[in-house]
Amino acid sequence: MANTVSGSITTKDGVTLHYLEAGHGRPLVLLPGWSQTASQFHKQLDDFSDSYRCLALDYRGHGESARPGYGYRVSRFAMDLREFMQACELQDVILLGHSAGCAVIWSYLDLFGATGIRGLIFCDQMIARIRRPEWSEEECRHYGAFVGGDEVLAQAELVGGLEGPAKSAEFLASMLTSEFSEAELLQMIQESLKFPRPAAAQLLLGVSYADYRDLLPRITVPTLCIGGAGSHLGPDVMPWIAGQIPGAELVMIAAEAGGSHFMYLENPQAFNAAVRDFCAVIDAANE
């Protein structure tokens, strides 16, 4: 990654968090998904560093951050994000979350509000994962609620058990198209497995049980929602989320154009163009 440097901050509960940084300008903070790392945003760090101060964060336990025996909850990750932004003295920030990174942002907004945040980008995350008996099939499609509670517990047991590395590799591979290179998939799996599997199982449960539907209509800052038409979430989740956020924009990347769950890796050109266009509107409004 050209002109990218590493940094670290220490949280108030004593955990060293690693991050990657490139460029200067308005801060653009990149938050990876469950069990993913900052380094996987290399195609965004390279592209956006000509116009923005890009910072990609490794959550606790992930990537090059410390691996404490505590704190693997979405709410703690939201606090870590707050302390990270404070330590780096970030203001007028655009937050971009992929997958579970969206849940971290939603928890942040729920706990701390949107002061100091200029824009939000949500990329391919269900708003509620576990289906409920009272929800219709249409509601489940909109929310991304396709599994039952027992299924989630079984998944977590597999991820946290002896077969955890192999099951995690299968899980990741299922979210990519057949066009994704084996070399990149192997690198993704290696990065993912830096996060200890028992902690990954705990975080999986927390993300799965979260439900932020009531938060969406209360978001008041400019928002972009990006979805993959070929994602395992289906084509309805991100349009529904965008429809719940006042004034939100929506970009869907076609399945045949690399529009998988990991579209920022499979089609970085389309993904980055959508992000850049959105950020340019925010910049223009600030002039």
Side-chain angles (χ1 to χ4, degrees), residues 71-202:
Y72 297 106
R73 290 176 291 276
V74 176
S75 58
R76 180 62 245 189
F77 282 27
M79 176 60 85
D80 288 348
L81 173 59
R82 180 176 175 83
E83 294 186 20
F84 168 69
M85 291 169 60
Q86 290 173 337
C88 294
E89 299 182 338
L90 304 182
Q91 289 291 329
D92 213 25
V93 180
I94 298 173
L95 294 178
L96 184 157
H98 171 253
S99 193
C102 297
V104 174
I105 297 174
W106 292 329
S107 181
Y108 180 99
L109 296 172
D110 197 32
L111 293 169
F112 309 116
T115 300
I117 296 174
R118 187 65 185 87
L120 298 166
I121 303 171
F122 300 129
C123 178
D124 219 56
Q125 170 68 357
M126 74 287 291
I127 196 68
R129 187 173 184 231
I130 298 175
R131 62 175 176 262
R132 299 180 188 172
E134 68 270 24
W135 291 346
S136 67
E137 289 186 12
E138 182 181 33
E139 287 173 315
C140 288
R141 288 197 305 273
H142 288 163
Y143 307 156
F146 299 122
V147 297
D150 288 344
E151 292 175 79
V152 171
L153 289 171
Q155 287 176 350
E157 184 179 12
L158 285 173
V159 167
L162 294 177
E163 296 182 73
K167 292 300 179 182
S168 299
E170 292 176 12
F171 191 44
L172 289 173
S174 70
M175 300 181 190
L176 296 154
T177 72
S178 59
E179 303 301 315
F180 196 66
S181 76
E182 290 188 14
E184 286 186 286
L185 175 58
L186 179 60
Q187 183 180 25
M188 176 186 286
I189 292 169
Q190 290 173 338
E191 286 294 301
S192 176
L193 294 180
K194 290 180 179 180
F195 186 26
R197 293 300 88 186
Q202 182 180 348

Side-chain angles (χ1 to χ4, degrees), residues 19 21-29 48-49 51-55 88-90:
Y19 64 93
E21 180 174 355
H24 302 277
R26 183 194 302 280
L28 173 61
V29 175
F48 298 138
S49 61
S51 305
Y52 298 94
R53 181 187 177 189
C54 301
L55 304 102
C88 294
E89 299 182 338
L90 304 182

